[in-house]
Amino acid sequence: MTELKRFPIGLQDFAQIRRNGYYYVDKTAIIYEMVSAGRVYFLSRPRRFGKSLLVSTLKCYFEGRKDLFEGLAIERMEKEWKKHPVFHVSFSITKYSDVSSLQIILDNILAKWENLYGITNTCGNEWGPRFANVIEAAHEKTGEEPVVLVDEYDAPLLDTMDDPEMQKRLKLEMRKFFSPLKDLGGILRFVFLTGITKFSQLSIFSELNNLKIITMNDSYASICGITKEELLSQMKPEIQALADKRGLTYEGAVEALRKKYDGYHFSEESPDVYNPFSLINALTDKKLDNYWFSTGTPTVLTHLIKKYDLNPDELDRGFPATTDMFDAPAEEAKDPVPMLYQSGYVTIKDYDGYSYTLGFPNEEVRYGFLHSLMPYYAAETVSQNDTFLLKFSRSLREGNLDDAMALMRSFFSSIPYNAEKQDENHYKTIFFLIARLCTPFVVHTEEASAAGRSDMTVETQDAVYVFEFKLDGTVEEALAQIDSKGYLIPYEASVGADGRPKKLFKIGASFDAQTRTLGGWKAVEG
């Protein structure tokens, strides 16, 4: 029996991974090209995408720890293996609710370096001069050019997104800390910064006018994450083990992994990139779970949901965008698109040479995102929403549409009243979220036909349900529109799991604005 790889679940320390025999997806050829081509870089990637491991790898490389790179591509490429003094900073080690929390972190970091190089702090909390002193001391003591590596630089800013004034004060503290980097550029070998979002360069790194942003650079599109090629060439035994455990063929397991975790594209010619955290967890557990979202709803998403009226239908279908629309600095954005993209909730789905199409990268993100939206559109408690979804999906699975719609009516009646929300689009959004979260089904909203778009199509293994909704209209009007527009026509050739034609249903539903629930519905077969 083939021995399966030991993946470093939750481990971001390169030295520990290499010393303890965990599997490492070799990114060192790209790393070598990067450090050879330039000196000051910024890379943005979603959370849990391997940024910290990349920074740790760079740290070990610049510390000259050649033994850790044995058998990797860079071992053949690097000839000198110089040992540089490395200043490694991670801002993800705590939560930031006020300026003092950041000041404590900066003071501790600088005190450790001052102790290392025998410096007495005479500058108090003047972070810039203190940082400059330790960099200069390291250069003088070692005779080598220092390296500065900053991981998750934006953690304090993301923690305070709902408090602009506090965020402004934190930016000022961080700007002081980073201020020496330009003036000392002549003695610095390498500066590398990572984060989730791209805040304006002027807000923190105003002096780093030579900062090269490689977030959307084709050459570095796969520097974090696992590519399709890496998965299929290096992890065949693990894929087969997953297939055996889940009763799938090898090809079926590959397709299931693709749908669940693939789909990220970080540049115009980016390869397919899988979410590494979810992928290695799935291969280790031999399960197709929602690992990325199971770690909790991030601050970024909570902020976006509260601040913007997000349209899940549009995100699901994909929408056009220019680079300026989705790669803008976070504080300059007029809509949620830049942070949705930079945080990994939408990605590049297509590029036609002129504009991009953005959308959900995969099923894990789609499900987790829509599940996070439910409390803001429907019931406020997650358990109430989930209990309803379980009952509703069972009714659809059993083909009992009347029970499903009765459950729907009861659910709508339980939603707290908000006069600003009670319009046709709000009802459609809730219905869309409910149907889309019933994962055994294929759901389309405003499905295109030659004559127009239906409000929603739910496709199960054995049937197709086309819905049309009318706010304070009649069921008959809704059914008439389905007929007149020919919404069922695209599904007339659909074949079910048993090889027979799927049953087709048209459902007209009305929403009663006064009672804030379904006023009535009617289903007609054929």
Side-chain angles (χ1 to χ4, degrees):
M1 181 177 178
T2 303
E3 183 177 353
L4 301 181
K5 298 176 181 65
R6 295 175 63 224
F7 291 112
I9 305 295
L11 185 59
Q12 300 294 325
D13 186 284
F14 178 76
Q16 287 191 46
I17 290 172
R18 296 293 288 169
R19 283 198 305 261
N20 295 309
Y22 290 101
Y23 191 74
Y24 174 74
V25 179
D26 190 356
K27 303 290 185 178
T28 60
I30 304 175
I31 290 173
Y32 181 79
E33 295 298 331
M34 179 178 69
V35 300
S36 300
R39 299 171 72 94
V40 185
Y41 291 96
F42 170 71
L43 174 71
S44 170
R45 283 293 184 269
R47 67 188 181 94
R48 296 190 178 276
F49 233 86
K51 299 186 298 297
S52 297
L53 176 57
L54 173 61
V55 170
S56 178
T57 307
L58 285 165
K59 180 176 183 289
C60 292
Y61 167 71
F62 280 113
E63 288 175 342
R65 302 173 69 176
K66 182 179 179 180
D67 58 304
L68 296 175
F69 293 86
E70 183 178 350
L72 300 179
I74 203 170
E75 182 190 29
R76 303 185 299 273
M77 304 169 78
E78 181 57 74
K79 306 302 181 185
E80 295 185 338
W81 292 98
K82 286 186 177 181
K83 182 178 181 179
H84 297 265
V86 177
F87 297 97
H88 176 207
V89 184
S90 176
F91 285 104
S92 63
I93 58 178
T94 189
K95 291 292 183 181
Y96 301 86
S97 57
D98 51 37
V99 174
S100 64
S101 58
L102 176 60
Q103 291 174 334
I104 291 170
I105 294 296
L106 295 178
D107 186 56
N108 287 342
I109 290 171
L110 289 166
K112 179 183 70 173
W113 294 338
E114 288 162 346
N115 182 62
L116 178 63
Y117 292 105
I119 298 174
T120 300
N121 172 26
T122 59
C123 302
N125 285 352
E126 291 297 326
W127 317 121
R130 288 178 66 182
F131 197 7
N133 286 342
V134 294
I135 291 175
E136 290 173 333
H139 180 54
E140 292 175 5
K141 185 172 183 179
T142 65
E144 296 292 344
E145 298 172 311
V147 170
V148 176
L149 305 175
V150 182
D151 192 20
E152 305 286 8
Y153 88 95
D154 55 349
L157 309 182
L158 295 176
D159 285 347
T160 53
M161 289 187 65
D162 291 324
D163 188 346
E165 183 58 34
M166 181 57 63
Q167 188 181 83
K168 183 178 179 180
R169 294 174 63 190
L170 290 171
K171 284 181 183 178
L172 179 60
E173 291 296 303
M174 296 175 72
R175 185 173 177 178
K176 292 176 183 177
F177 178 73
F178 290 115
S179 60
L181 295 184
K182 180 186 178 183
D183 290 340
L184 296 177
I187 65 171
L188 291 174
R189 166 64 183 88
F190 193 75
V191 177
F192 189 76
L193 313 160
T194 79
I196 294 175
T197 51
K198 187 176 84 173
F199 284 87
S200 172
Q201 187 170 330
L202 292 176
S203 64
I204 296 175
F205 309 113
S206 58
E207 289 81 8
L208 287 180
N209 52 13
N210 59 337
L211 181 65
K212 183 173 179 58
I213 300 173
I214 59 173
T215 300
M216 295 185 64
N217 189 308
D218 287 331
S219 298
Y220 307 111
S222 62
I223 198 168
C224 290
I226 298 173
T227 67
K228 176 182 177 181
E229 180 182 4
E230 289 165 341
L231 170 66
L232 298 182
S233 64
Q234 302 177 34
M235 304 176 193
K236 287 184 178 180
E238 290 71 30
I239 297 173
Q240 187 61 60
L242 169 68
D244 294 342
K245 179 73 172 182
R246 295 295 147 195
L248 301 169
T249 63
Y250 176 83
E251 292 75 16
V254 169
E255 179 63 12
L257 290 169
R258 183 192 68 79
K259 288 182 177 180
K260 194 76 172 178
Y261 310 121
D262 191 13
Y264 286 94
H265 302 96
F266 298 110
S267 65
E268 294 174 8
E269 298 181 8
S270 171
D272 285 354
V273 180
Y274 286 72
N275 182 314
F277 179 79
S278 295
L279 182 62
I280 64 174
N281 270 282
L283 293 177
T284 299
D285 296 345
K286 304 178 186 63
K287 293 172 63 178
L288 297 165
D289 280 353
N290 297 314
Y291 294 99
W292 196 57
F293 266 91
S294 68
T295 56
T297 304
T299 304
V300 172
L301 183 55
T302 303
H303 171 80
L304 292 175
I305 291 172
K306 289 180 178 178
K307 185 174 181 179
Y308 298 100
D309 184 18
L310 299 178
N311 184 346
D313 186 3
E314 183 181 53
L315 298 177
D316 201 37
R317 291 200 311 269
F319 58 96
T322 63
T323 307
D324 291 341
M325 289 171 60
F326 67 84
D327 195 39
E331 67 267 54
E332 296 177 8
K334 306 302 182 184
D335 57 58
V337 174
M339 294 199 70
L340 284 172
Y341 170 76
Q342 294 163 25
S343 302
Y345 299 109
V346 299
T347 193
I348 299 170
K349 305 298 289 184
D350 188 40
Y351 177 69
D352 62 8
Y354 302 96
S355 65
Y356 298 83
T357 298
L358 305 183
F360 291 130
N362 51 49
E363 289 295 333
E364 179 186 25
V365 175
R366 176 183 286 109
Y367 180 86
F369 188 93
L370 299 182
H371 191 263
S372 297
L373 279 183
M374 275 291 282
Y376 295 89
Y377 279 93
E380 295 178 354
T381 61
V382 173
S383 60
Q384 184 178 350
N385 289 326
D386 288 352
T387 297
F388 162 73
L389 287 168
L390 289 172
K391 293 179 179 179
F392 179 75
S393 61
R394 181 182 303 148
S395 296
L396 284 179
R397 199 161 49 240
E398 295 171 353
N400 194 332
L401 186 60
D402 283 339
D403 279 359
M405 298 300 282
L407 285 166
M408 180 75 72
R409 170 182 279 174
S410 176
F411 182 69
F412 269 96
S413 298
S414 70
I415 296 173
Y417 178 63
N418 183 332
E420 295 179 359
K421 292 183 177 180
Q422 305 306 315
D423 59 19
E424 188 171 8
N425 285 332
H426 182 72
Y427 287 123
K428 289 179 182 179
T429 298
I430 296 176
F431 208 128
F432 165 74
L433 290 172
I434 290 167
R436 202 64 182 90
L437 289 170
C438 295
T439 53
F441 312 112
V442 178
V443 178
H444 312 279
T445 60
E446 294 197 3
E447 185 71 14
S449 71
R453 295 177 180 271
S454 64
D455 283 334
M456 181 181 296
T457 302
V458 179
E459 187 173 356
T460 72
Q461 289 186 338
D462 305 309
V464 177
Y465 303 92
V466 173
F467 295 84
E468 187 66 28
F469 308 103
K470 293 295 180 184
L471 180 63
D472 291 333
T474 67
V475 170
E476 286 70 25
E477 288 173 344
L479 289 171
Q481 182 168 330
I482 295 174
D483 289 335
S484 65
K485 299 295 186 179
Y487 293 153
L488 274 174
I489 293 175
Y491 301 95
E492 289 178 347
S494 297
V495 178
D498 58 3
R500 294 185 294 182
K502 288 187 176 182
K503 292 182 179 180
L504 306 181
F505 295 91
K506 53 188 177 184
I507 299 96
S510 66
F511 289 104
D512 189 322
Q514 185 174 2
T515 61
R516 307 186 306 277
T517 188
L518 290 179
W521 68 84
K522 184 177 181 180
V524 179
E525 185 173 356

